[in-house]
């Protein structure tokens, strides 16, 4: 989209958490949560109601592979820029339009055919939705790093965590509440319409004027001239890892959420084994999820006051305590109000610690490599978390719930030892002079 404003003299946006930046980032991350909630929460229910085999439903997880593999094409998202739309909008707008178009296609097909004869078509469209959404995420994260000053990256990531969760609630929980009355086609059509509404802020954002394109820190240009071979991929990530202190920091990224990844999957089985009915577990999940969103925003505000490393350590300790508290419940039992209190505490701590980790990941990104540098950290964390989560059932089976959650809390604390060592060895020097589009430090 080209507007007269784009023809005015370049005026670089000084990084600040303005109202416009808040709306822009919140809508972008909420837009990513909408298709994710549909795929993760609503579709499994609809598929099973139409008699689809549970083994096929389980394979929906494989459709999320683009989110783990996006590290393979992230460097080109940073390098290939649209002269008309800008480096980030040039990817965000086409990808978001693709997701909308595929959701409209899903909404136009009758459910009986969609979940029957056309099921392979549906699965293919869902894979393409994940491919487009994961590619958009690379550009969105790069845009967020460039727009946010270092101090406010915590609150900026509150928008990421909160916006994404809100999008998932809308297209997951809320869609399931109305789909019987409104029908599948209308419900999915509304999700597509909401996604279109979420596109308006980025459509109207004059990126070329506010965030002028910058040269890459390795001296290359944003173009396809250098080719698409594996050499670029290796060169890019080798340059990222070779920076001072990056080895220690990557260990922190890999270890920080291990305790949570091991403990969290067993919370619901624990409650079921203690006699909680599915409706009661669902209500607790909704309440604690909303608390997690509030925790994310509280963490962002506290991050601005406490600084990066202190926030990471403090919020990580709170999460370790929350996980260990479930071990106490497993051993001693607890009243419903106490379970609610511990679940809400753990989710608030999770939201706060996630915000601190994501903000510090932003601080490690190099100028003009923001999308790819953030993506490699995020993908590494997701892969390790998935592997550890897959072993959670075995841990709970052989250690018992009490031992399992105590181990989860202990692993969370040990990860903080790595974080503290990183802080002592490198201080906040890696965070102190963050590049921003105005060419100033923040």
């Amino acid at each position: 989209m080209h507007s007269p404003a784009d023809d005015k003299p370049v005026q670089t946006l000084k990084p600040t958490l303005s109202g416009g930046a808040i709306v822009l980032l919140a809508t972008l991350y909420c837009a990513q949560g909408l298709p994710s909630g549909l795929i993760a929460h609503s579709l499994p229910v609809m598929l099973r109601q139409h008699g689809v085999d549970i083994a096929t439903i389980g394979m929906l997880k494989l459709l999320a592979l683009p989110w783990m593999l996006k590290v393979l094409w992230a460097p080109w998202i940073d390098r290939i820029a649209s002269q008309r739309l800008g480096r980030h909008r040039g990817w965000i707008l086409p990808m978001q339009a693709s997701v909308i178009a595929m959701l409209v296609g899903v909404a136009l097909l009758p459910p009986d055919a969609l979940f029957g004869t056309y099921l392979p078509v549906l699965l293919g469209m869902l894979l393409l939705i994940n491919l487009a959404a994961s590619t958009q995420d690379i550009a969105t994260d790069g845009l967020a790093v460039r727009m946010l000053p270092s101090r406010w990256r915590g609150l900026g990531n509150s928008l990421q965590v909160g916006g994404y969760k809100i999008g998932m609630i809308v297209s997951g929980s809320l869609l399931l509440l109305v789909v019987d009355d409104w029908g599948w086609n209308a419900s999915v059509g509304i999700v597509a319409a909401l996604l279109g509404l979420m596109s308006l802020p980025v459509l109207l954002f004059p990126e070329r004027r506010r965030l002028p394109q910058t040269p890459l820190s390795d001296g290359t240009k944003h173009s396809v001239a250098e080719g698409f071979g594996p050499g670029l991929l290796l060169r890019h990530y080798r340059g990222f890892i070779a920076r001072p202190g990056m080895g220690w920091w990557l260990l922190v990224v890999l270890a920080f959420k291990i305790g949570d990844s091991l403990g969290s999957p067993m919370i619901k089985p624990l409650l079921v084994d203690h006699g909680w009915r599915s409706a009661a577990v669902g209500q607790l999940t909704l309440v604690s999820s909303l608390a997690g969103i509030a925790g994310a925003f509280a963490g962002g505000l506290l991050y601005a006051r406490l600084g990066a490393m202190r926030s990471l350590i403090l919020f990580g300790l709170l999460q370790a305590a929350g996980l260990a508290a479930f071990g106490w419940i497993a051993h001693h039992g607890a009243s419903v109000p106490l379970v609610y209190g511990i679940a809400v505490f753990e989710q608030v701590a999770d939201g706060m610690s996630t915000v601190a980790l994501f903000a510090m990941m932003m601080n490690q990104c190099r100028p003009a490599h923001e999308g790819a540098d953030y993506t490699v950290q995020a993908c590494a964390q997701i892969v390790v978390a998935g592997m550890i989560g897959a072993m959670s059932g075995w841990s709970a089976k052989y250690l018992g719930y009490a031992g399992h959650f105590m181990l989860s809390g202990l692993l969370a604390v040990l990860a903080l030892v790595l974080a503290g060592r990183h802080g002592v060895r490198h201080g906040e020097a890696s965070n102190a002079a963050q590049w921003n589009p105005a060419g100033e430090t923040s």
Side-chain angles (χ1 to χ4, degrees), residues 211-231:
L211 294 175
Q213 192 166 304
T214 55
L216 295 166
S217 60
D218 62 7
T220 60
K221 297 180 179 179
H222 297 85
S223 72
V224 298
E226 58 195 299
F228 288 86

PDB file of all heavy atoms in Angstrom, residues 211-231:
ATOM      1  N   LEU A 211      10.395   3.687   9.681  1.00  0.00           N
ATOM      2  CA  LEU A 211      11.502   2.771   9.953  1.00  0.00           C
ATOM      3  C   LEU A 211      12.268   2.525   8.663  1.00  0.00           C
ATOM      4  O   LEU A 211      12.123   1.485   8.019  1.00  0.00           O
ATOM      5  CB  LEU A 211      10.985   1.439  10.499  1.00  0.00           C
ATOM      6  CG  LEU A 211      10.301   1.454  11.866  1.00  0.00           C
ATOM      7  CD1 LEU A 211       9.749   0.076  12.184  1.00  0.00           C
ATOM      8  CD2 LEU A 211      11.263   1.894  12.946  1.00  0.00           C
ATOM      9  N   PRO A 212      13.099   3.470   8.250  1.00  0.00           N
ATOM     10  CA  PRO A 212      13.838   3.312   6.996  1.00  0.00           C
ATOM     11  C   PRO A 212      14.683   2.047   7.007  1.00  0.00           C
ATOM     12  O   PRO A 212      15.194   1.633   8.034  1.00  0.00           O
ATOM     13  CB  PRO A 212      14.725   4.557   6.940  1.00  0.00           C
ATOM     14  CG  PRO A 212      14.067   5.534   7.853  1.00  0.00           C
ATOM     15  CD  PRO A 212      13.413   4.728   8.926  1.00  0.00           C
ATOM     16  N   GLN A 213      14.819   1.458   5.833  1.00  0.00           N
ATOM     17  CA  GLN A 213      15.605   0.235   5.700  1.00  0.00           C
ATOM     18  C   GLN A 213      17.048   0.499   6.053  1.00  0.00           C
ATOM     19  O   GLN A 213      17.642   1.504   5.666  1.00  0.00           O
ATOM     20  CB  GLN A 213      15.496  -0.276   4.267  1.00  0.00           C
ATOM     21  CG  GLN A 213      16.021  -1.676   4.066  1.00  0.00           C
ATOM     22  CD  GLN A 213      15.575  -2.216   2.730  1.00  0.00           C
ATOM     23  OE1 GLN A 213      14.402  -2.262   2.423  1.00  0.00           O
ATOM     24  NE2 GLN A 213      16.541  -2.593   1.913  1.00  0.00           N
ATOM     25  N   THR A 214      17.657  -0.419   6.801  1.00  0.00           N
ATOM     26  CA  THR A 214      19.037  -0.264   7.244  1.00  0.00           C
ATOM     27  C   THR A 214      19.911  -1.325   6.604  1.00  0.00           C
ATOM     28  O   THR A 214      19.449  -2.416   6.284  1.00  0.00           O
ATOM     29  CB  THR A 214      19.133  -0.401   8.770  1.00  0.00           C
ATOM     30  OG1 THR A 214      18.557  -1.652   9.163  1.00  0.00           O
ATOM     31  CG2 THR A 214      18.390   0.728   9.467  1.00  0.00           C
ATOM     32  N   PRO A 215      21.220  -1.023   6.425  1.00  0.00           N
ATOM     33  CA  PRO A 215      22.113  -2.042   5.866  1.00  0.00           C
ATOM     34  C   PRO A 215      22.322  -3.178   6.847  1.00  0.00           C
ATOM     35  O   PRO A 215      22.237  -3.006   8.057  1.00  0.00           O
ATOM     36  CB  PRO A 215      23.421  -1.262   5.637  1.00  0.00           C
ATOM     37  CG  PRO A 215      23.356  -0.144   6.624  1.00  0.00           C
ATOM     38  CD  PRO A 215      21.913   0.231   6.727  1.00  0.00           C
ATOM     39  N   LEU A 216      22.585  -4.360   6.314  1.00  0.00           N
ATOM     40  CA  LEU A 216      22.847  -5.513   7.149  1.00  0.00           C
ATOM     41  C   LEU A 216      24.193  -5.360   7.826  1.00  0.00           C
ATOM     42  O   LEU A 216      25.147  -4.810   7.261  1.00  0.00           O
ATOM     43  CB  LEU A 216      22.819  -6.797   6.316  1.00  0.00           C
ATOM     44  CG  LEU A 216      21.450  -7.146   5.713  1.00  0.00           C
ATOM     45  CD1 LEU A 216      21.613  -8.202   4.649  1.00  0.00           C
ATOM     46  CD2 LEU A 216      20.499  -7.603   6.792  1.00  0.00           C
ATOM     47  N   SER A 217      24.285  -5.884   9.047  1.00  0.00           N
ATOM     48  CA  SER A 217      25.524  -5.726   9.804  1.00  0.00           C
ATOM     49  C   SER A 217      26.680  -6.524   9.217  1.00  0.00           C
ATOM     50  O   SER A 217      27.827  -6.301   9.572  1.00  0.00           O
ATOM     51  CB  SER A 217      25.303  -6.160  11.263  1.00  0.00           C
ATOM     52  OG  SER A 217      24.902  -7.506  11.337  1.00  0.00           O
ATOM     53  N   ASP A 218      26.396  -7.471   8.322  1.00  0.00           N
ATOM     54  CA  ASP A 218      27.493  -8.214   7.697  1.00  0.00           C
ATOM     55  C   ASP A 218      27.909  -7.592   6.362  1.00  0.00           C
ATOM     56  O   ASP A 218      28.707  -8.154   5.622  1.00  0.00           O
ATOM     57  CB  ASP A 218      27.131  -9.690   7.511  1.00  0.00           C
ATOM     58  CG  ASP A 218      25.935  -9.885   6.584  1.00  0.00           C
ATOM     59  OD1 ASP A 218      25.473  -8.887   5.991  1.00  0.00           O
ATOM     60  OD2 ASP A 218      25.481 -11.035   6.462  1.00  0.00           O
ATOM     61  N   GLY A 219      27.340  -6.427   6.064  1.00  0.00           N
ATOM     62  CA  GLY A 219      27.751  -5.686   4.881  1.00  0.00           C
ATOM     63  C   GLY A 219      27.018  -6.033   3.621  1.00  0.00           C
ATOM     64  O   GLY A 219      27.220  -5.403   2.586  1.00  0.00           O
ATOM     65  N   THR A 220      26.125  -7.016   3.638  1.00  0.00           N
ATOM     66  CA  THR A 220      25.379  -7.377   2.441  1.00  0.00           C
ATOM     67  C   THR A 220      24.137  -6.522   2.316  1.00  0.00           C
ATOM     68  O   THR A 220      23.768  -5.799   3.225  1.00  0.00           O
ATOM     69  CB  THR A 220      24.989  -8.863   2.482  1.00  0.00           C
ATOM     70  OG1 THR A 220      24.172  -9.088   3.626  1.00  0.00           O
ATOM     71  CG2 THR A 220      26.208  -9.751   2.550  1.00  0.00           C
ATOM     72  N   LYS A 221      23.486  -6.633   1.169  1.00  0.00           N
ATOM     73  CA  LYS A 221      22.283  -5.855   0.923  1.00  0.00           C
ATOM     74  C   LYS A 221      21.056  -6.734   1.044  1.00  0.00           C
ATOM     75  O   LYS A 221      21.126  -7.952   0.991  1.00  0.00           O
ATOM     76  CB  LYS A 221      22.341  -5.217  -0.472  1.00  0.00           C
ATOM     77  CG  LYS A 221      23.479  -4.225  -0.641  1.00  0.00           C
ATOM     78  CD  LYS A 221      23.465  -3.645  -2.044  1.00  0.00           C
ATOM     79  CE  LYS A 221      24.584  -2.629  -2.228  1.00  0.00           C
ATOM     80  NZ  LYS A 221      24.585  -2.069  -3.606  1.00  0.00           N
ATOM     81  N   HIS A 222      19.897  -6.076   1.207  1.00  0.00           N
ATOM     82  CA  HIS A 222      18.631  -6.793   1.248  1.00  0.00           C
ATOM     83  C   HIS A 222      18.237  -7.154  -0.180  1.00  0.00           C
ATOM     84  O   HIS A 222      17.555  -6.405  -0.853  1.00  0.00           O
ATOM     85  CB  HIS A 222      17.538  -5.930   1.873  1.00  0.00           C
ATOM     86  CG  HIS A 222      17.809  -5.562   3.291  1.00  0.00           C
ATOM     87  ND1 HIS A 222      18.578  -4.497   3.649  1.00  0.00           N
ATOM     88  CD2 HIS A 222      17.396  -6.137   4.435  1.00  0.00           C
ATOM     89  CE1 HIS A 222      18.626  -4.406   4.955  1.00  0.00           C
ATOM     90  NE2 HIS A 222      17.909  -5.387   5.463  1.00  0.00           N
ATOM     91  N   SER A 223      18.679  -8.267  -0.633  1.00  0.00           N
ATOM     92  CA  SER A 223      18.358  -8.667  -1.996  1.00  0.00           C
ATOM     93  C   SER A 223      18.501 -10.159  -2.129  1.00  0.00           C
ATOM     94  O   SER A 223      19.005 -10.843  -1.250  1.00  0.00           O
ATOM     95  CB  SER A 223      19.294  -7.968  -3.002  1.00  0.00           C
ATOM     96  OG  SER A 223      20.589  -8.508  -2.919  1.00  0.00           O
ATOM     97  N   VAL A 224      18.078 -10.665  -3.271  1.00  0.00           N
ATOM     98  CA  VAL A 224      18.226 -12.094  -3.544  1.00  0.00           C
ATOM     99  C   VAL A 224      19.504 -12.369  -4.333  1.00  0.00           C
ATOM    100  O   VAL A 224      19.763 -13.501  -4.701  1.00  0.00           O
ATOM    101  CB  VAL A 224      17.013 -12.617  -4.339  1.00  0.00           C
ATOM    102  CG1 VAL A 224      15.750 -12.452  -3.536  1.00  0.00           C
ATOM    103  CG2 VAL A 224      16.871 -11.892  -5.674  1.00  0.00           C
ATOM    104  N   ALA A 225      20.302 -11.327  -4.561  1.00  0.00           N
ATOM    105  CA  ALA A 225      21.459 -11.472  -5.427  1.00  0.00           C
ATOM    106  C   ALA A 225      22.471 -12.475  -4.889  1.00  0.00           C
ATOM    107  O   ALA A 225      23.191 -13.113  -5.630  1.00  0.00           O
ATOM    108  CB  ALA A 225      22.137 -10.121  -5.638  1.00  0.00           C
ATOM    109  N   GLU A 226      22.515 -12.596  -3.534  1.00  0.00           N
ATOM    110  CA  GLU A 226      23.507 -13.473  -2.951  1.00  0.00           C
ATOM    111  C   GLU A 226      23.107 -14.939  -3.034  1.00  0.00           C
ATOM    112  O   GLU A 226      23.839 -15.820  -2.630  1.00  0.00           O
ATOM    113  CB  GLU A 226      23.743 -13.085  -1.491  1.00  0.00           C
ATOM    114  CG  GLU A 226      22.468 -13.150  -0.665  1.00  0.00           C
ATOM    115  CD  GLU A 226      22.619 -12.437   0.656  1.00  0.00           C
ATOM    116  OE1 GLU A 226      23.487 -12.868   1.434  1.00  0.00           O
ATOM    117  OE2 GLU A 226      21.900 -11.473   0.912  1.00  0.00           O
ATOM    118  N   GLY A 227      21.909 -15.221  -3.551  1.00  0.00           N
ATOM    119  CA  GLY A 227      21.487 -16.592  -3.729  1.00  0.00           C
ATOM    120  C   GLY A 227      20.750 -17.158  -2.536  1.00  0.00           C
ATOM    121  O   GLY A 227      20.633 -16.541  -1.503  1.00  0.00           O
ATOM    122  N   PHE A 228      20.250 -18.383  -2.728  1.00  0.00           N
ATOM    123  CA  PHE A 228      19.444 -19.015  -1.704  1.00  0.00           C
ATOM    124  C   PHE A 228      20.090 -20.297  -1.186  1.00  0.00           C
ATOM    125  O   PHE A 228      19.414 -21.144  -0.625  1.00  0.00           O
ATOM    126  CB  PHE A 228      18.050 -19.332  -2.256  1.00  0.00           C
ATOM    127  CG  PHE A 228      17.199 -18.111  -2.443  1.00  0.00           C
ATOM    128  CD1 PHE A 228      17.264 -17.370  -3.612  1.00  0.00           C
ATOM    129  CD2 PHE A 228      16.352 -17.696  -1.444  1.00  0.00           C
ATOM    130  CE1 PHE A 228      16.495 -16.248  -3.785  1.00  0.00           C
ATOM    131  CE2 PHE A 228      15.572 -16.573  -1.599  1.00  0.00           C
ATOM    132  CZ  PHE A 228      15.638 -15.842  -2.771  1.00  0.00           C
ATOM    133  N   GLY A 229      21.368 -20.442  -1.363  1.00  0.00           N
ATOM    134  CA  GLY A 229      22.043 -21.655  -0.945  1.00  0.00           C
ATOM    135  C   GLY A 229      22.227 -21.729   0.554  1.00  0.00           C
ATOM    136  O   GLY A 229      21.983 -20.781   1.290  1.00  0.00           O
ATOM    137  N   PRO A 230      22.678 -22.897   1.051  1.00  0.00           N
ATOM    138  CA  PRO A 230      22.887 -23.084   2.491  1.00  0.00           C
ATOM    139  C   PRO A 230      24.004 -22.232   3.054  1.00  0.00           C
ATOM    140  O   PRO A 230      24.091 -22.060   4.268  1.00  0.00           O
ATOM    141  CB  PRO A 230      23.212 -24.575   2.600  1.00  0.00           C
ATOM    142  CG  PRO A 230      23.749 -24.948   1.252  1.00  0.00           C
ATOM    143  CD  PRO A 230      23.001 -24.094   0.271  1.00  0.00           C
ATOM    144  N   GLY A 231      24.861 -21.682   2.188  1.00  0.00           N
ATOM    145  CA  GLY A 231      25.957 -20.855   2.671  1.00  0.00           C
ATOM    146  C   GLY A 231      25.479 -19.664   3.470  1.00  0.00           C
ATOM    147  O   GLY A 231      26.060 -19.322   4.508  1.00  0.00           O
TER     148      GLY A 231
END
